[in-house]
Amino acid sequence: MMTVLGCVVDRHNIWLVALAVLVCTTGSWVTVRLFMKSSATRGVQRLGWHMLTAVASGTAIWCTHFVAMLGFRPGVPVALDPAPTMLSLLLAVAGATPGFVLAGSKRLRWAPALGGAMVGLAICAMHYVGMMAYRVQGIVTWNRTYLVASVALAVVFSSLALHAALRVRNGTCRVAATGLLVMAIACLHFVGMTAFQVEPVLLPGNFSNPEAWQALGLAVGGVALVIVAAGLASYLIDDSLRTESLERLRRMAMTDSLTGLPNRASFSERLDRELYLADQAGGRVALVGMDLDRFKEINDLRGHAAGDEVLRELARRMSALLQEGEFVARQGGDEFIAIHRLGEQSRLLDFLARLESAFFTPIRLEGYEVIPGASLGVAVYPDDAQEKEALIGNTDLAMYRAKSDLVNVACFYEPSMDEVVRARRTLAGELRAALEFGQMDIHYQVQTAVSTGDIRGYEALLRWRHPERGYIPPSEFIPLAEESGLILQLGEWVLRTACAKAASWNPPYKVAVNLSAVQFVHADLVELVRSILDETGLQPDRLELELTESTIFMDKELSLRILRQIKQLGVGIALDDFGTGYSSLDTLRTFPFDKIKLDCTFVSELESSPQARAIVRAVLALGKSLDIPVLAEGIETHGQLALLNAEGCDEGQGYLLGRPIPLRQIVDQGDLVLSAAHEARMRVFPPEVMLAGRRVDGSDAMSAHP
């Protein structure tokens, strides 16, 4: 026999006490983990975790008490009363629940300590109600000092346990909270049992059965461990599900939904890691930007579903070709970007060759094949840039150069590209200032009937004379205006100015104004045209808007709808640069243009090339069959004019007939007279005089090809 705090324990039943210690420690550890889990949740979910915590703790406390009691030997026969025994279990669970709820509240500063005290009181209630079920053959007395001490220790240690679980912010908080909760339960039991004193009164009969008590102790301990294990399992399952959910959300956030490739965010994270590794090891990293060449054409001709399938197939190909140290991501739209950990230059060239093969191998889609093609730009860290953003920017510069290179698919970054970009940015700023300070001007080029020389109208052409650089050709500043978005302001200014000037012309010739593709996408073009006509007073049939077929193909359905609305205003529509680009007969069939403008490249070869003459003859015949007049651009010689006249061309435009010149020079030549209150009548020079005065002599330094 041995004595523990005044309690006699049979050496043969000491394993029951050990089992009680195991249940107490394990249950306390699970209780702390469940309580900390509940504090990290909200709403109904938090209440559910609190209840699960209370069930685990109450069961552990109750089982600890009764397993230890089953191992306790008071020296007299004993028995258990079922009713108080079950009541003690309910008190343990029901009393601990509000304690954990209060401890988890964030409204009170001392809520964990107060809630812990309530849990300690629940432990005390369970213990002493359970002792009421402990029947002995003797007279029971209680030592009040030990009794009060047991309650005080249980309350204090429980309060400290929950406070440590929530307030201590270090790696030992769980261990400390678990140890304190074990102390609360152990102190209550052993100090409380020291207060329990029995004076034997032996009665005849077999009052207790030791073997049954051992079996009961084993059963209670087993059930306790099962319940505690269930609580732990629920914690682990929830934690696992949470981890899986977070990982799934992370994958979704870092993956492109269409292609399954890493997205821009994933690329940025990977590039940071690769640059860090390169700095640590003294290595180099190649960045490859990729932009599809014919993706828009695929979308326009085959539909967006086909375009999506092309992107998916390219993603599969690039994923399959990747080797160690290589990474590819989708930037958005039809742009991709790749990272190559650079070792030997030959490996980089091999990587580029594999990428090129992926882009230029035909893709079969529902009975037809497409070759998307791509332009690749390469920049190397740290050779071409020392910072991440600069590296990405230089890669883009190399890619844009590749798009304009008709020979090379891939281009490497060169420092001179920065100079070009800086120059373009400077010119873009100066272009904005030119519009603001009135440096832009409109020149007009005459359009005449080929057979008679009669003036049919004038095309308004935007010109820019820089105060320092002199004349800057439209081929240089118009693309820059489109890239910067300034084309909207320029286009509106040209349209409003040309209409205002033409409203005062006499005779009332037509004025033709070119439209940019950007105006179709970003502006309410129909309302703009209507408001300018109302504002300037120009008759709608005197305005002709010119656009290329590539403009229509940016969004064919939208463009044709806009053109029909413009035509309903009474404004004419001319198809410019016909013979280049798509030259789709379906476009002529779908929309009844008022004029076809034959591109100047065919007219320039008219006298020397039989093929050019055949094409011109075919276009003129097409125009007559569709009842659409044809205007030939770029007429520079009398031979070209004669051939066009012989083929039945309707109208002509070019240096031979008149160069683009400012409006004041046209007025001075007498081509038209501006309306004025003091003028008694209007006078127009005969057409033959007009033609006679326009020969190509190269003397007009202000003129330029439109």
Coordinates of all heavy atoms in Angstrom, one line a residue, residues 18 67 74 89 108 156 180 192 196 237 248 253 310 336 347 350 366 377 393 410 414 510 560 583 587 600 660:
A18 N -2.4 5.8 -13.2 CA -1.6 6.1 -14.3 C -2.5 6.4 -15.5 O -2.2 7.4 -16.3 CB -0.6 5.0 -14.6
V67 N -11.7 7.4 -13.0 CA -10.7 6.4 -13.1 C -9.8 6.5 -11.9 O -9.4 5.4 -11.3 CB -9.9 6.6 -14.4 CG1 -8.7 5.7 -14.4 CG2 -10.8 6.3 -15.6
P74 N -10.0 3.3 0.1 CA -10.2 4.0 1.5 C -10.1 3.0 2.6 O -10.1 3.4 3.8 CB -11.6 4.5 1.4 CG -12.3 3.6 0.5 CD -11.3 3.1 -0.5
L89 N -21.2 14.3 -14.7 CA -20.7 14.4 -16.1 C -21.4 15.6 -16.8 O -20.8 16.4 -17.5 CB -21.0 13.1 -16.9 CG -20.7 13.1 -18.4 CD1 -19.2 13.4 -18.6 CD2 -21.1 11.8 -19.0
L108 N -14.0 41.8 -23.6 CA -13.4 42.1 -22.2 C -12.0 41.8 -22.2 O -11.5 40.7 -22.7 CB -14.2 41.3 -21.1 CG -15.7 41.6 -21.0 CD1 -16.3 40.7 -19.9 CD2 -15.9 43.1 -20.6
V156 N -7.8 29.0 -9.9 CA -6.6 29.8 -10.3 C -5.9 29.2 -11.5 O -5.6 29.8 -12.5 CB -5.7 29.9 -9.1 CG1 -4.4 30.5 -9.6 CG2 -6.3 30.8 -8.0
L180 N -1.0 24.0 -17.2 CA -1.8 24.6 -16.1 C -3.1 24.0 -16.0 O -3.6 23.8 -14.9 CB -1.9 26.1 -16.5 CG -0.7 27.0 -16.4 CD1 -0.9 28.3 -17.0 CD2 -0.3 27.1 -14.9
G192 N -8.5 17.6 -3.0 CA -9.9 17.3 -2.5 C -10.0 16.0 -1.9 O -10.8 15.8 -0.9
F196 N -11.0 14.4 2.1 CA -12.0 13.3 2.3 C -11.5 12.3 3.3 O -10.5 11.7 3.1 CB -12.3 12.6 0.9 CG -13.3 11.5 1.0 CD1 -14.6 11.8 1.0 CD2 -12.9 10.2 0.9 CE1 -15.6 10.8 1.0 CE2 -13.8 9.2 0.9 CZ -15.2 9.5 1.0
I237 N -8.9 17.3 -38.9 CA -9.6 17.3 -40.2 C -9.9 18.7 -40.6 O -9.7 19.1 -41.8 CB -10.9 16.4 -40.1 CG1 -10.6 15.0 -39.9 CG2 -11.8 16.7 -41.3 CD1 -11.8 14.1 -39.6
R248 N -6.0 25.5 -52.4 CA -6.8 25.5 -53.7 C -7.0 27.0 -54.1 O -6.9 27.3 -55.3 CB -8.1 24.8 -53.4 CG -9.0 24.7 -54.7 CD -10.0 23.6 -54.5 NE -10.8 23.8 -53.3 CZ -10.7 22.9 -52.3 NH1 -9.9 21.9 -52.3 NH2 -11.5 23.1 -51.2
A253 N -5.7 31.6 -57.5 CA -5.2 33.0 -57.6 C -3.9 33.1 -58.4 O -3.6 34.2 -59.0 CB -4.9 33.6 -56.2
V310 N -6.9 27.9 -79.4 CA -5.5 28.1 -79.8 C -4.6 28.4 -78.6 O -3.5 27.9 -78.4 CB -5.4 29.3 -80.8 CG1 -3.9 29.7 -81.0 CG2 -6.0 28.8 -82.2
F336 N 2.5 35.9 -73.7 CA 3.1 35.0 -72.8 C 4.5 35.5 -72.4 O 5.0 36.4 -73.1 CB 3.2 33.6 -73.4 CG 1.9 33.0 -73.8 CD1 1.3 33.2 -75.1 CD2 1.2 32.2 -72.9 CE1 0.1 32.7 -75.4 CE2 0.0 31.6 -73.3 CZ -0.5 31.9 -74.6
R347 N 22.0 26.8 -74.7 CA 20.8 26.3 -74.1 C 19.7 27.3 -74.3 O 18.5 27.0 -74.4 CB 21.0 26.0 -72.6 CG 21.9 24.8 -72.3 CD 21.8 24.4 -70.9 NE 20.4 24.0 -70.6 CZ 19.7 24.5 -69.6 NH1 20.2 25.5 -68.9 NH2 18.5 24.1 -69.3
D350 N 18.5 27.0 -77.8 CA 17.6 25.8 -77.9 C 16.3 26.1 -77.3 O 15.3 25.6 -77.9 CB 18.3 24.7 -77.1 CG 17.4 23.4 -77.1 OD1 17.2 22.8 -78.1 OD2 17.0 23.1 -76.0
E366 N -11.2 21.8 -86.0 CA -12.5 21.4 -86.7 C -12.3 21.5 -88.3 O -13.1 22.2 -88.9 CB -13.6 22.4 -86.3 CG -13.9 22.2 -84.8 CD -15.0 23.2 -84.3 OE1 -15.5 23.9 -85.2 OE2 -15.4 23.1 -83.2
G377 N 10.8 38.5 -77.7 CA 11.8 39.5 -77.3 C 12.6 38.9 -76.1 O 12.0 38.4 -75.2
G393 N 10.7 45.7 -68.8 CA 10.5 46.7 -69.9 C 11.4 46.5 -71.1 O 11.0 46.7 -72.2
A410 N 12.8 36.1 -83.2 CA 13.2 36.5 -81.8 C 14.3 37.6 -82.0 O 15.2 37.6 -82.8 CB 13.8 35.4 -81.1
E414 N 18.8 45.5 -77.1 CA 20.0 46.3 -77.4 C 19.8 47.7 -76.8 O 18.7 48.2 -76.8 CB 20.2 46.5 -78.9 CG 20.5 45.2 -79.6 CD 20.6 45.3 -81.1 OE1 20.5 46.5 -81.6 OE2 20.8 44.3 -81.8
K510 N -17.0 68.5 -102.0 CA -17.0 67.6 -100.9 C -15.6 67.7 -100.2 O -14.6 68.1 -100.8 CB -17.1 66.1 -101.4 CG -18.5 65.7 -101.8 CD -18.6 64.2 -102.1 CE -20.0 63.8 -102.3 NZ -20.2 62.3 -102.6
L560 N -19.5 47.8 -88.9 CA -20.5 47.9 -90.0 C -21.8 48.5 -89.4 O -22.5 49.3 -90.1 CB -20.8 46.5 -90.5 CG -19.7 45.8 -91.3 CD1 -20.1 44.5 -91.8 CD2 -19.3 46.7 -92.5
S583 N -8.8 43.1 -98.4 CA -9.4 43.2 -99.7 C -10.5 42.2 -99.9 O -10.6 41.5 -100.9 CB -8.4 43.1 -100.9 OG -7.5 44.1 -100.8
T587 N -16.7 42.2 -97.6 CA -16.9 43.5 -97.1 C -17.6 44.4 -98.0 O -18.6 45.2 -97.6 CB -15.5 44.2 -96.7 OG1 -14.8 43.3 -95.8 CG2 -15.7 45.5 -96.1
C600 N -2.2 53.4 -104.0 CA -1.3 54.0 -104.9 C -0.2 53.1 -105.4 O 0.5 53.3 -106.4 CB -0.6 55.3 -104.2 SG 0.2 54.9 -102.7
P660 N -0.9 68.1 -101.7 CA -1.5 68.6 -100.5 C -1.0 70.0 -100.2 O 0.3 70.2 -100.0 CB -1.2 67.6 -99.4 CG -0.8 66.4 -100.2 CD -0.2 66.9 -101.5

